[in-house]
Amino acid sequence: MPLPNILCIAKDPISAKSMEEMKTILLLILGCAVQCERKEEMIEKIKLLHIETQAAIVSHIQEVTHDQLNVLDLSWLEGGVRLTQEELEPLSRNMVVSLRQLIEQRDKANEAIVDLMEERDYLSAQQPQDRRSPLHMSSLERGHSSGDAQLNNTGPTATVSGLTKEEKQHLSVELADTKAKLRRYRQEL
């Protein structure tokens, strides 16, 4: 089950897509509730609800917990039980699939972060200089570039504050392009 897209919820909370993402969040919370250390307590509270509500909750719990790819069973780690090769093989396959999904989700999240940073830097570059707060400044403008806030381009060293607005914007675009290339190379590996 992919992680919910909280950015979608934050941008447009009333859309159908946001409602689907909220459903995913609630399903994950429900799945955690019935698999945690206090699961008996949670199940007792569910039993106090109306029968139709209980049935709906049970179907949602099954949706989350009965798919082997949604739940990574680590109970075999407890108790020091040794598994046979036949038992270990499906667990290993599930773990590999889960790791691949996590890597894919991480990469998508990284891309979203980079896109948001690019958008923030672009929008902050469009605002007049006197109206910009430190929160809306790019990392170069705040002086958080590589170490000492200086750029060295095989020529004289120029401080970031000495760059024009256009140069800063150009550097932001170059940085974004380089990050995109780096992401593609990592995915190829």
Side-chain angles (χ1 to χ4, degrees):
M1 173 177 284
L3 292 176
N5 184 351
I6 58 171
L7 185 61
C8 175
I9 298 169
K11 282 186 174 181
D12 188 11
I14 303 177
S15 70
K17 177 70 175 154
S18 291
M19 292 302 161
E20 283 298 314
E21 298 301 324
M22 285 296 292
K23 179 184 175 188
T24 303
I25 290 173
L26 293 173
L27 285 174
L28 290 172
I29 292 171
L30 184 60
C32 291
V34 297
Q35 292 184 345
C36 71
E37 296 169 353
R38 297 174 35 199
K39 66 182 172 186
E40 292 83 15
E41 183 182 329
M42 299 297 166
I43 292 170
E44 287 302 317
K45 288 184 180 186
I46 291 172
K47 287 180 180 178
L48 296 175
L49 299 172
H50 190 269
I51 296 292
E52 292 173 5
T53 307
Q54 286 182 37
I57 289 175
V58 167
S59 71
H60 288 303
I61 290 171
Q62 290 173 346
E63 182 181 336
V64 174
T65 59
H66 282 74
D67 185 358
Q68 291 294 322
L69 296 177
N70 287 342
V71 179
L72 186 59
D73 183 19
L74 298 177
S75 61
W76 58 273
L77 291 174
E78 299 170 1
V81 178
R82 289 197 57 90
L83 298 174
T84 64
Q85 183 68 26
E86 293 81 31
E87 295 170 321
L88 229 116
E89 196 170 314
L91 287 172
S92 299
R93 271 194 301 261
N94 285 345
M95 199 170 293
V96 167
V97 169
S98 294
L99 286 173
R100 284 184 179 152
Q101 287 176 341
L102 285 173
I103 290 170
E104 185 178 308
Q105 290 175 14
R106 180 206 60 197
D107 291 346
K108 286 181 181 178
N110 282 340
E111 288 177 19
I113 289 169
V114 169
D115 291 343
L116 288 170
M117 289 175 63
E118 290 171 2
E119 182 179 341
R120 180 203 62 200
D121 290 348
Y122 173 76
L123 292 173
S124 67
Q126 300 301 315
Q127 291 181 336
Q129 193 68 20
D130 58 325
R131 290 185 35 214
R132 295 166 69 184
S133 69
L135 181 63
H136 293 100
M137 290 183 180
S138 70
S139 56
L140 281 174
E141 294 168 306
R142 286 191 304 267
H144 291 93
S145 66
S146 60
D148 58 356
Q150 293 187 347
L151 301 174
N152 193 350
N153 189 8
T154 66
T157 303
T159 62
V160 173
S161 60
L163 296 175
T164 66
K165 183 177 174 181
E166 291 79 22
E167 291 171 327
K168 289 177 187 177
Q169 189 172 2
H170 177 70
L171 287 174
S172 294
V173 171
E174 282 187 29
L175 177 63
D177 183 49
T178 304
K179 286 181 179 179
K181 287 179 185 176
L182 180 61
R183 278 195 312 272
R184 282 192 297 262
Y185 293 141
R186 282 183 181 163
Q187 288 176 349
E188 288 176 9
L189 293 176

